[in-house]
Amino acid sequence: MKLRGSEVCVSLLVCVSLALADWSPPQNLSVQSLNTQYVLRWDWADDQQSAINGTITFTAQYLAAFKSRKPPHQHNWMTVCADVLERRCDFTDAKLSYLGIYLLRVRANTAQHFSNWTNITFCPDKEADLGPPSSVKLTSVKGDLEIVIADPLSSTNKSMKTLVNDMQYLIHYWKQLEGYQKAEVLKTQNNVVTLSELDRWTEYCVKVQSRYDFYNKTSDFSDIHCTRTEGLIPYWQIFLYFLLSLGVCFLLGLLVWFSFYKVFKSFKSIFYPNVQLPSHIQELWLSDSETPHLLPPPSSGSVWDQLDMISTETDTVPDIQISIPEDQDTSVPSRHGSGDSGFNSTEEDSSLRQLSFTRHDTRTDTHTDTHTDHRCKTDMQHREEMHDGTLEICA
């Protein structure tokens, strides 16, 4: 297919016009700054040309304002960002003087084409925002509040007071119960401030902001810090503390005494148990004046006879056995030495009478015989402990 001459000329003119056409430059340039941190931002909305010509990058530069008065060929622009895809450029590391005035510019470009430059004037001392204090410390000292303020810091961690000599601080303080609406403001250039004439034992809150009056710049507030003021303790509180201490001491003493009593009682029950004597022994002790002693006082020449009584259901009278100690002479009639031979007969008659008295009808009173046998056996156990000169009589 062949083209006419006029068509060829028109197509060539269109191509040349597209190649030489100027792109729209970046718009809405602004600098976001805080102390000595500067970031240049811009907008660029020619997306149709970006789709046709490929990837679009941006270049940002700066020049001192006093150098802009020289001829254009002597302008020594310093490039900070070259062919960046983002629509921002950080000028913090460019070390711009805080008191200087600078021209900032940016353009859009590709590998073969670029747009016109867009310029903006920037003065850090006038336009850069002032930051709040880097730290605030609040302490209570003898009823007053002591505030220690640290200066805002630059990008190189230096005090901003070296760049802003007239910088001041606005201290806002208020009672926590009343709220910030009733806050009082104190302006000062000092880094250590003491708030006096405050209410004792009251919670106060403080926040601080930086202030530069020459350009009417005020920073954001610092964090809020609260503390309680001190003061002399009232007398009623001292008396109340005294009563509380007495009560605590009394309770502790009572607890110690109760613990000691429990421990003492436990040891006493272990080493000295409360064991009662049998009831029949207690009765003997209580009736000591009426009942003869279990063991009569021993005498050197006395001879005792032991009588054992055995009851049977038969009516036969058991034989009476009289045991005489072997160490005594059988020829001697008695220990009294009276020579009366009727002692043995008299004793035998009394034994027979006692036997006849105890031999009642066993069929009617069996309990009495059992008690008598038990008592007789008990007497035998006691009498067996006597010396060998005892006379035993078993019936």
Side-chain angles (χ1 to χ4, degrees), residues 139-185:
T139 56
S140 178
V141 180
K142 297 180 179 180
D144 299 333
L145 292 181
E146 183 180 80
I147 306 174
V148 179
I149 305 172
D151 298 330
L153 300 178
S154 64
S155 58
T156 57
N157 292 327
K158 293 183 180 180
S159 174
M160 287 298 296
K161 275 190 174 182
T162 59
L163 303 176
V164 184
N165 296 326
D166 297 335
M167 186 175 64
Q168 298 177 340
Y169 298 107
L170 298 178
I171 301 175
H172 300 247
Y173 64 96
W174 66 94
K175 295 180 181 179
Q176 188 178 20
L177 296 177
E178 294 181 355
Y180 177 71
Q181 292 75 12
K182 296 184 178 181
E184 298 184 12
V185 181

mmCIF file of all heavy atoms in Angstrom, residues 139-185:
data_model
loop_
_atom_site.group_PDB
_atom_site.id
_atom_site.type_symbol
_atom_site.label_atom_id
_atom_site.label_comp_id
_atom_site.label_asym_id
_atom_site.label_seq_id
_atom_site.Cartn_x
_atom_site.Cartn_y
_atom_site.Cartn_z
ATOM 1 N N THR A 139 8.479 15.851 89.343
ATOM 2 C CA THR A 139 8.703 15.288 90.669
ATOM 3 C C THR A 139 8.163 16.238 91.728
ATOM 4 O O THR A 139 8.077 17.459 91.507
ATOM 5 C CB THR A 139 10.199 15.035 90.929
ATOM 6 O OG1 THR A 139 10.928 16.255 90.737
ATOM 7 C CG2 THR A 139 10.735 13.969 89.992
ATOM 8 N N SER A 140 7.802 15.665 92.878
ATOM 9 C CA SER A 140 7.304 16.441 94.008
ATOM 10 C C SER A 140 8.439 16.631 95.003
ATOM 11 O O SER A 140 9.049 15.656 95.459
ATOM 12 C CB SER A 140 6.131 15.722 94.674
ATOM 13 O OG SER A 140 5.666 16.448 95.789
ATOM 14 N N VAL A 141 8.702 17.890 95.368
ATOM 15 C CA VAL A 141 9.796 18.231 96.270
ATOM 16 C C VAL A 141 9.260 19.166 97.352
ATOM 17 O O VAL A 141 8.967 20.344 97.085
ATOM 18 C CB VAL A 141 10.966 18.911 95.521
ATOM 19 C CG1 VAL A 141 12.086 19.251 96.491
ATOM 20 C CG2 VAL A 141 11.476 18.005 94.410
ATOM 21 N N LYS A 142 9.087 18.618 98.575
ATOM 22 C CA LYS A 142 8.682 19.413 99.740
ATOM 23 C C LYS A 142 7.412 20.223 99.477
ATOM 24 O O LYS A 142 7.351 21.434 99.739
ATOM 25 C CB LYS A 142 9.809 20.342 100.177
ATOM 26 C CG LYS A 142 11.055 19.594 100.647
ATOM 27 C CD LYS A 142 12.136 20.562 101.071
ATOM 28 C CE LYS A 142 13.374 19.818 101.558
ATOM 29 N NZ LYS A 142 14.450 20.735 101.985
ATOM 30 N N GLY A 143 6.445 19.613 98.910
ATOM 31 C CA GLY A 143 5.180 20.285 98.667
ATOM 32 C C GLY A 143 5.103 21.043 97.361
ATOM 33 O O GLY A 143 4.023 21.514 96.992
ATOM 34 N N ASP A 144 6.211 21.181 96.617
ATOM 35 C CA ASP A 144 6.227 21.855 95.322
ATOM 36 C C ASP A 144 6.414 20.827 94.213
ATOM 37 O O ASP A 144 6.755 19.668 94.450
ATOM 38 C CB ASP A 144 7.340 22.900 95.270
ATOM 39 C CG ASP A 144 7.165 23.979 96.323
ATOM 40 O OD1 ASP A 144 6.004 24.233 96.720
ATOM 41 O OD2 ASP A 144 8.185 24.556 96.767
ATOM 42 N N LEU A 145 6.215 21.292 92.994
ATOM 43 C CA LEU A 145 6.426 20.447 91.819
ATOM 44 C C LEU A 145 7.628 20.963 91.038
ATOM 45 O O LEU A 145 7.693 22.144 90.674
ATOM 46 C CB LEU A 145 5.190 20.451 90.915
ATOM 47 C CG LEU A 145 3.938 19.766 91.460
ATOM 48 C CD1 LEU A 145 2.817 19.835 90.435
ATOM 49 C CD2 LEU A 145 4.229 18.320 91.826
ATOM 50 N N GLU A 146 8.565 20.066 90.768
ATOM 51 C CA GLU A 146 9.757 20.413 90.001
ATOM 52 C C GLU A 146 9.648 19.789 88.620
ATOM 53 O O GLU A 146 9.473 18.577 88.488
ATOM 54 C CB GLU A 146 11.010 19.929 90.716
ATOM 55 C CG GLU A 146 12.288 20.331 89.999
ATOM 56 C CD GLU A 146 13.527 19.849 90.729
ATOM 57 O OE1 GLU A 146 13.857 18.646 90.570
ATOM 58 O OE2 GLU A 146 14.141 20.647 91.461
ATOM 59 N N ILE A 147 9.775 20.637 87.584
ATOM 60 C CA ILE A 147 9.641 20.205 86.192
ATOM 61 C C ILE A 147 10.992 20.360 85.512
ATOM 62 O O ILE A 147 11.578 21.452 85.520
ATOM 63 C CB ILE A 147 8.570 21.028 85.453
ATOM 64 C CG1 ILE A 147 7.241 20.985 86.213
ATOM 65 C CG2 ILE A 147 8.397 20.518 84.037
ATOM 66 C CD1 ILE A 147 6.182 21.892 85.635
ATOM 67 N N VAL A 148 11.472 19.270 84.938
ATOM 68 C CA VAL A 148 12.737 19.278 84.187
ATOM 69 C C VAL A 148 12.398 19.046 82.722
ATOM 70 O O VAL A 148 11.853 17.998 82.347
ATOM 71 C CB VAL A 148 13.699 18.190 84.708
ATOM 72 C CG1 VAL A 148 14.996 18.214 83.902
ATOM 73 C CG2 VAL A 148 13.983 18.394 86.196
ATOM 74 N N ILE A 149 12.742 20.029 81.868
ATOM 75 C CA ILE A 149 12.375 20.011 80.448
ATOM 76 C C ILE A 149 13.633 19.815 79.616
ATOM 77 O O ILE A 149 14.633 20.528 79.806
ATOM 78 C CB ILE A 149 11.667 21.314 80.049
ATOM 79 C CG1 ILE A 149 10.454 21.566 80.960
ATOM 80 C CG2 ILE A 149 11.246 21.287 78.596
ATOM 81 C CD1 ILE A 149 9.816 22.919 80.766
ATOM 82 N N ALA A 150 13.582 18.861 78.699
ATOM 83 C CA ALA A 150 14.676 18.645 77.759
ATOM 84 C C ALA A 150 14.340 19.306 76.427
ATOM 85 O O ALA A 150 13.204 19.211 75.942
ATOM 86 C CB ALA A 150 14.927 17.152 77.563
ATOM 87 N N ASP A 151 15.309 19.979 75.826
ATOM 88 C CA ASP A 151 15.090 20.732 74.584
ATOM 89 C C ASP A 151 14.727 19.803 73.421
ATOM 90 O O ASP A 151 15.118 18.634 73.399
ATOM 91 C CB ASP A 151 16.347 21.515 74.217
ATOM 92 C CG ASP A 151 16.706 22.551 75.280
ATOM 93 O OD1 ASP A 151 15.778 23.049 75.938
ATOM 94 O OD2 ASP A 151 17.920 22.829 75.445
ATOM 95 N N PRO A 152 13.990 20.324 72.430
ATOM 96 C CA PRO A 152 13.786 19.559 71.190
ATOM 97 C C PRO A 152 15.128 19.298 70.513
ATOM 98 O O PRO A 152 16.076 20.088 70.643
ATOM 99 C CB PRO A 152 12.882 20.465 70.360
ATOM 100 C CG PRO A 152 12.277 21.421 71.334
ATOM 101 C CD PRO A 152 13.274 21.607 72.424
ATOM 102 N N LEU A 153 15.208 18.204 69.778
ATOM 103 C CA LEU A 153 16.466 17.803 69.157
ATOM 104 C C LEU A 153 16.372 17.915 67.646
ATOM 105 O O LEU A 153 15.316 17.686 67.046
ATOM 106 C CB LEU A 153 16.813 16.366 69.540
ATOM 107 C CG LEU A 153 16.999 16.102 71.042
ATOM 108 C CD1 LEU A 153 17.291 14.632 71.284
ATOM 109 C CD2 LEU A 153 18.097 16.975 71.624
ATOM 110 N N SER A 154 17.491 18.266 67.028
ATOM 111 C CA SER A 154 17.573 18.352 65.571
ATOM 112 C C SER A 154 17.833 16.963 64.997
ATOM 113 O O SER A 154 17.895 15.962 65.717
ATOM 114 C CB SER A 154 18.690 19.322 65.175
ATOM 115 O OG SER A 154 19.945 18.824 65.613
ATOM 116 N N SER A 155 18.026 16.897 63.691
ATOM 117 C CA SER A 155 18.294 15.613 63.040
ATOM 118 C C SER A 155 19.650 15.052 63.422
ATOM 119 O O SER A 155 19.895 13.848 63.287
ATOM 120 C CB SER A 155 18.207 15.779 61.517
ATOM 121 O OG SER A 155 19.136 16.758 61.078
ATOM 122 N N THR A 156 20.541 15.894 63.940
ATOM 123 C CA THR A 156 21.857 15.450 64.401
ATOM 124 C C THR A 156 21.904 15.340 65.923
ATOM 125 O O THR A 156 22.999 15.317 66.503
ATOM 126 C CB THR A 156 22.936 16.425 63.919
ATOM 127 O OG1 THR A 156 22.629 17.748 64.394
ATOM 128 C CG2 THR A 156 23.010 16.446 62.395
ATOM 129 N N ASN A 157 20.723 15.273 66.574
ATOM 130 C CA ASN A 157 20.601 15.126 68.031
ATOM 131 C C ASN A 157 21.261 16.281 68.795
ATOM 132 O O ASN A 157 21.840 16.092 69.874
ATOM 133 C CB ASN A 157 21.211 13.796 68.498
ATOM 134 C CG ASN A 157 20.402 12.603 68.017
ATOM 135 O OD1 ASN A 157 19.184 12.672 67.888
ATOM 136 N ND2 ASN A 157 21.095 11.501 67.734
ATOM 137 N N LYS A 158 21.131 17.457 68.252
ATOM 138 C CA LYS A 158 21.585 18.663 68.940
ATOM 139 C C LYS A 158 20.379 19.470 69.401
ATOM 140 O O LYS A 158 19.308 19.364 68.812
ATOM 141 C CB LYS A 158 22.459 19.524 68.023
ATOM 142 C CG LYS A 158 23.788 18.878 67.661
ATOM 143 C CD LYS A 158 24.640 19.807 66.808
ATOM 144 C CE LYS A 158 25.978 19.159 66.452
ATOM 145 N NZ LYS A 158 26.819 20.063 65.605
ATOM 146 N N SER A 159 20.571 20.260 70.441
ATOM 147 C CA SER A 159 19.476 21.065 70.973
ATOM 148 C C SER A 159 19.050 22.119 69.963
ATOM 149 O O SER A 159 19.882 22.773 69.320
ATOM 150 C CB SER A 159 19.911 21.735 72.280
ATOM 151 O OG SER A 159 18.923 22.627 72.736
ATOM 152 N N MET A 160 17.748 22.285 69.822
ATOM 153 C CA MET A 160 17.232 23.308 68.918
ATOM 154 C C MET A 160 17.464 24.718 69.443
ATOM 155 O O MET A 160 17.313 25.683 68.682
ATOM 156 C CB MET A 160 15.739 23.093 68.693
ATOM 157 C CG MET A 160 15.406 21.902 67.807
ATOM 158 S SD MET A 160 16.070 22.054 66.144
ATOM 159 C CE MET A 160 15.179 23.488 65.551
ATOM 160 N N LYS A 161 17.847 24.832 70.701
ATOM 161 C CA LYS A 161 18.156 26.166 71.220
ATOM 162 C C LYS A 161 19.417 26.738 70.598
ATOM 163 O O LYS A 161 19.616 27.959 70.622
ATOM 164 C CB LYS A 161 18.309 26.113 72.737
ATOM 165 C CG LYS A 161 16.987 26.222 73.482
ATOM 166 C CD LYS A 161 17.202 26.414 74.969
ATOM 167 C CE LYS A 161 15.875 26.662 75.681
ATOM 168 N NZ LYS A 161 16.032 26.901 77.128
ATOM 169 N N THR A 162 20.272 25.876 70.045
ATOM 170 C CA THR A 162 21.438 26.379 69.333
ATOM 171 C C THR A 162 21.061 27.030 68.017
ATOM 172 O O THR A 162 21.828 27.826 67.460
ATOM 173 C CB THR A 162 22.427 25.229 69.079
ATOM 174 O OG1 THR A 162 21.762 24.219 68.307
ATOM 175 C CG2 THR A 162 22.894 24.615 70.393
ATOM 176 N N LEU A 163 19.861 26.683 67.484
ATOM 177 C CA LEU A 163 19.366 27.285 66.252
ATOM 178 C C LEU A 163 18.304 28.331 66.501
ATOM 179 O O LEU A 163 18.192 29.298 65.738
ATOM 180 C CB LEU A 163 18.799 26.178 65.340
ATOM 181 C CG LEU A 163 19.767 25.047 64.983
ATOM 182 C CD1 LEU A 163 19.040 23.985 64.168
ATOM 183 C CD2 LEU A 163 20.976 25.578 64.233
ATOM 184 N N VAL A 164 17.528 28.152 67.562
ATOM 185 C CA VAL A 164 16.467 29.108 67.920
ATOM 186 C C VAL A 164 16.784 29.630 69.306
ATOM 187 O O VAL A 164 16.431 29.008 70.327
ATOM 188 C CB VAL A 164 15.080 28.437 67.873
ATOM 189 C CG1 VAL A 164 13.994 29.467 68.150
ATOM 190 C CG2 VAL A 164 14.848 27.762 66.528
ATOM 191 N N ASN A 165 17.435 30.758 69.381
ATOM 192 C CA ASN A 165 17.878 31.285 70.671
ATOM 193 C C ASN A 165 16.716 31.764 71.535
ATOM 194 O O ASN A 165 16.796 31.717 72.766
ATOM 195 C CB ASN A 165 18.873 32.435 70.457
ATOM 196 C CG ASN A 165 20.143 31.960 69.767
ATOM 197 O OD1 ASN A 165 20.587 30.836 69.986
ATOM 198 N ND2 ASN A 165 20.733 32.812 68.941
ATOM 199 N N ASP A 166 15.673 32.258 70.920
ATOM 200 C CA ASP A 166 14.550 32.831 71.669
ATOM 201 C C ASP A 166 13.440 31.815 71.940
ATOM 202 O O ASP A 166 12.291 32.201 72.192
ATOM 203 C CB ASP A 166 13.970 34.026 70.892
ATOM 204 C CG ASP A 166 14.986 35.157 70.735
ATOM 205 O OD1 ASP A 166 15.895 35.239 71.584
ATOM 206 O OD2 ASP A 166 14.873 35.922 69.767
ATOM 207 N N MET A 167 13.740 30.545 71.867
ATOM 208 C CA MET A 167 12.704 29.543 72.092
ATOM 209 C C MET A 167 12.304 29.516 73.571
ATOM 210 O O MET A 167 13.149 29.612 74.470
ATOM 211 C CB MET A 167 13.205 28.156 71.670
ATOM 212 C CG MET A 167 12.141 27.072 71.727
ATOM 213 S SD MET A 167 12.734 25.486 71.099
ATOM 214 C CE MET A 167 14.024 25.124 72.292
ATOM 215 N N GLN A 168 11.020 29.403 73.809
ATOM 216 C CA GLN A 168 10.468 29.372 75.160
ATOM 217 C C GLN A 168 9.591 28.117 75.326
ATOM 218 O O GLN A 168 9.352 27.378 74.364
ATOM 219 C CB GLN A 168 9.643 30.640 75.440
ATOM 220 C CG GLN A 168 10.450 31.929 75.373
ATOM 221 C CD GLN A 168 9.580 33.154 75.580
ATOM 222 O OE1 GLN A 168 8.359 33.093 75.414
ATOM 223 N NE2 GLN A 168 10.199 34.274 75.928
ATOM 224 N N TYR A 169 9.123 27.951 76.567
ATOM 225 C CA TYR A 169 8.252 26.814 76.882
ATOM 226 C C TYR A 169 6.978 27.321 77.550
ATOM 227 O O TYR A 169 7.014 28.221 78.392
ATOM 228 C CB TYR A 169 8.955 25.815 77.807
ATOM 229 C CG TYR A 169 10.194 25.209 77.205
ATOM 230 C CD1 TYR A 169 11.457 25.579 77.652
ATOM 231 C CD2 TYR A 169 10.099 24.272 76.182
ATOM 232 C CE1 TYR A 169 12.592 25.021 77.102
ATOM 233 C CE2 TYR A 169 11.233 23.705 75.624
ATOM 234 C CZ TYR A 169 12.477 24.093 76.087
ATOM 235 O OH TYR A 169 13.606 23.551 75.524
ATOM 236 N N LEU A 170 5.872 26.751 77.139
ATOM 237 C CA LEU A 170 4.580 27.026 77.744
ATOM 238 C C LEU A 170 4.188 25.808 78.593
ATOM 239 O O LEU A 170 3.980 24.720 78.059
ATOM 240 C CB LEU A 170 3.521 27.306 76.685
ATOM 241 C CG LEU A 170 3.756 28.531 75.791
ATOM 242 C CD1 LEU A 170 2.635 28.652 74.764
ATOM 243 C CD2 LEU A 170 3.855 29.795 76.626
ATOM 244 N N ILE A 171 4.110 26.016 79.911
ATOM 245 C CA ILE A 171 3.796 24.940 80.853
ATOM 246 C C ILE A 171 2.330 25.060 81.248
ATOM 247 O O ILE A 171 1.914 26.073 81.815
ATOM 248 C CB ILE A 171 4.704 25.011 82.096
ATOM 249 C CG1 ILE A 171 6.173 24.905 81.679
ATOM 250 C CG2 ILE A 171 4.351 23.897 83.079
ATOM 251 C CD1 ILE A 171 7.144 25.095 82.836
ATOM 252 N N HIS A 172 1.569 24.040 80.973
ATOM 253 C CA HIS A 172 0.155 23.979 81.361
ATOM 254 C C HIS A 172 0.030 22.988 82.520
ATOM 255 O O HIS A 172 0.397 21.808 82.372
ATOM 256 C CB HIS A 172 -0.715 23.530 80.191
ATOM 257 C CG HIS A 172 -0.655 24.438 79.005
ATOM 258 N ND1 HIS A 172 -1.729 25.183 78.571
ATOM 259 C CD2 HIS A 172 0.362 24.711 78.141
ATOM 260 C CE1 HIS A 172 -1.398 25.878 77.511
ATOM 261 N NE2 HIS A 172 -0.122 25.608 77.209
ATOM 262 N N TYR A 173 -0.485 23.445 83.657
ATOM 263 C CA TYR A 173 -0.645 22.564 84.815
ATOM 264 C C TYR A 173 -2.026 22.786 85.423
ATOM 265 O O TYR A 173 -2.570 23.899 85.410
ATOM 266 C CB TYR A 173 0.462 22.790 85.846
ATOM 267 C CG TYR A 173 0.483 24.156 86.475
ATOM 268 C CD1 TYR A 173 -0.131 24.400 87.700
ATOM 269 C CD2 TYR A 173 1.132 25.222 85.845
ATOM 270 C CE1 TYR A 173 -0.107 25.666 88.276
ATOM 271 C CE2 TYR A 173 1.163 26.480 86.409
ATOM 272 C CZ TYR A 173 0.549 26.702 87.625
ATOM 273 O OH TYR A 173 0.577 27.954 88.200
ATOM 274 N N TRP A 174 -2.600 21.729 85.990
ATOM 275 C CA TRP A 174 -3.956 21.783 86.533
ATOM 276 C C TRP A 174 -4.141 20.649 87.530
ATOM 277 O O TRP A 174 -3.369 19.676 87.563
ATOM 278 C CB TRP A 174 -4.979 21.679 85.406
ATOM 279 C CG TRP A 174 -4.972 20.341 84.705
ATOM 280 C CD1 TRP A 174 -5.754 19.256 84.956
ATOM 281 C CD2 TRP A 174 -4.095 19.945 83.632
ATOM 282 N NE1 TRP A 174 -5.449 18.220 84.127
ATOM 283 C CE2 TRP A 174 -4.435 18.608 83.300
ATOM 284 C CE3 TRP A 174 -3.074 20.589 82.936
ATOM 285 C CZ2 TRP A 174 -3.780 17.923 82.292
ATOM 286 C CZ3 TRP A 174 -2.429 19.885 81.944
ATOM 287 C CH2 TRP A 174 -2.780 18.587 81.616
ATOM 288 N N LYS A 175 -5.184 20.804 88.350
ATOM 289 C CA LYS A 175 -5.542 19.725 89.277
ATOM 290 C C LYS A 175 -6.250 18.621 88.495
ATOM 291 O O LYS A 175 -7.104 18.889 87.655
ATOM 292 C CB LYS A 175 -6.458 20.244 90.382
ATOM 293 C CG LYS A 175 -5.812 21.261 91.301
ATOM 294 C CD LYS A 175 -6.791 21.716 92.373
ATOM 295 C CE LYS A 175 -6.166 22.758 93.274
ATOM 296 N NZ LYS A 175 -7.115 23.238 94.318
ATOM 297 N N GLN A 176 -5.893 17.410 88.801
ATOM 298 C CA GLN A 176 -6.448 16.297 88.045
ATOM 299 C C GLN A 176 -7.964 16.199 88.208
ATOM 300 O O GLN A 176 -8.675 15.863 87.261
ATOM 301 C CB GLN A 176 -5.789 14.992 88.480
ATOM 302 C CG GLN A 176 -6.166 13.794 87.611
ATOM 303 C CD GLN A 176 -5.459 12.544 88.056
ATOM 304 O OE1 GLN A 176 -4.982 12.449 89.177
ATOM 305 N NE2 GLN A 176 -5.368 11.572 87.166
ATOM 306 N N LEU A 177 -8.477 16.514 89.388
ATOM 307 C CA LEU A 177 -9.915 16.417 89.619
ATOM 308 C C LEU A 177 -10.680 17.512 88.880
ATOM 309 O O LEU A 177 -11.822 17.311 88.478
ATOM 310 C CB LEU A 177 -10.213 16.487 91.117
ATOM 311 C CG LEU A 177 -9.663 15.324 91.961
ATOM 312 C CD1 LEU A 177 -9.977 15.559 93.436
ATOM 313 C CD2 LEU A 177 -10.234 13.997 91.496
ATOM 314 N N GLU A 178 -10.059 18.664 88.673
ATOM 315 C CA GLU A 178 -10.753 19.779 88.024
ATOM 316 C C GLU A 178 -10.719 19.670 86.506
ATOM 317 O O GLU A 178 -11.592 20.203 85.831
ATOM 318 C CB GLU A 178 -10.135 21.097 88.460
ATOM 319 C CG GLU A 178 -10.346 21.390 89.956
ATOM 320 C CD GLU A 178 -9.735 22.721 90.350
ATOM 321 O OE1 GLU A 178 -9.070 23.356 89.489
ATOM 322 O OE2 GLU A 178 -9.909 23.137 91.517
ATOM 323 N N GLY A 179 -9.693 19.010 85.946
ATOM 324 C CA GLY A 179 -9.625 18.865 84.498
ATOM 325 C C GLY A 179 -8.801 19.955 83.825
ATOM 326 O O GLY A 179 -8.439 20.978 84.431
ATOM 327 N N TYR A 180 -8.510 19.714 82.531
ATOM 328 C CA TYR A 180 -7.660 20.637 81.779
ATOM 329 C C TYR A 180 -8.337 21.981 81.522
ATOM 330 O O TYR A 180 -7.668 22.969 81.219
ATOM 331 C CB TYR A 180 -7.268 19.973 80.455
ATOM 332 C CG TYR A 180 -6.437 20.862 79.553
ATOM 333 C CD1 TYR A 180 -5.117 21.166 79.875
ATOM 334 C CD2 TYR A 180 -6.975 21.404 78.392
ATOM 335 C CE1 TYR A 180 -4.358 21.979 79.055
ATOM 336 C CE2 TYR A 180 -6.224 22.215 77.560
ATOM 337 C CZ TYR A 180 -4.913 22.508 77.904
ATOM 338 O OH TYR A 180 -4.159 23.314 77.099
ATOM 339 N N GLN A 181 -9.651 22.061 81.640
ATOM 340 C CA GLN A 181 -10.350 23.308 81.363
ATOM 341 C C GLN A 181 -9.911 24.425 82.316
ATOM 342 O O GLN A 181 -9.966 25.605 81.974
ATOM 343 C CB GLN A 181 -11.867 23.121 81.455
ATOM 344 C CG GLN A 181 -12.465 22.243 80.361
ATOM 345 C CD GLN A 181 -12.187 20.770 80.576
ATOM 346 O OE1 GLN A 181 -11.733 20.374 81.660
ATOM 347 N NE2 GLN A 181 -12.464 19.952 79.567
ATOM 348 N N LYS A 182 -9.465 24.072 83.509
ATOM 349 C CA LYS A 182 -9.030 25.069 84.487
ATOM 350 C C LYS A 182 -7.513 25.091 84.621
ATOM 351 O O LYS A 182 -6.979 25.430 85.683
ATOM 352 C CB LYS A 182 -9.666 24.783 85.842
ATOM 353 C CG LYS A 182 -11.183 24.913 85.835
ATOM 354 C CD LYS A 182 -11.743 24.715 87.237
ATOM 355 C CE LYS A 182 -13.262 24.885 87.225
ATOM 356 N NZ LYS A 182 -13.849 24.716 88.582
ATOM 357 N N ALA A 183 -6.813 24.775 83.536
ATOM 358 C CA ALA A 183 -5.351 24.737 83.586
ATOM 359 C C ALA A 183 -4.778 26.151 83.602
ATOM 360 O O ALA A 183 -5.339 27.090 83.023
ATOM 361 C CB ALA A 183 -4.810 23.973 82.386
ATOM 362 N N GLU A 184 -3.664 26.304 84.276
ATOM 363 C CA GLU A 184 -2.918 27.554 84.306
ATOM 364 C C GLU A 184 -1.685 27.412 83.422
ATOM 365 O O GLU A 184 -1.138 26.307 83.276
ATOM 366 C CB GLU A 184 -2.513 27.904 85.734
ATOM 367 C CG GLU A 184 -3.711 28.112 86.661
ATOM 368 C CD GLU A 184 -3.285 28.555 88.044
ATOM 369 O OE1 GLU A 184 -2.090 28.917 88.197
ATOM 370 O OE2 GLU A 184 -4.121 28.520 88.957
ATOM 371 N N VAL A 185 -1.234 28.565 82.830
ATOM 372 C CA VAL A 185 -0.147 28.554 81.859
ATOM 373 C C VAL A 185 1.001 29.386 82.411
ATOM 374 O O VAL A 185 0.798 30.492 82.915
ATOM 375 C CB VAL A 185 -0.605 29.107 80.502
ATOM 376 C CG1 VAL A 185 0.545 29.069 79.490
ATOM 377 C CG2 VAL A 185 -1.793 28.316 79.971
#
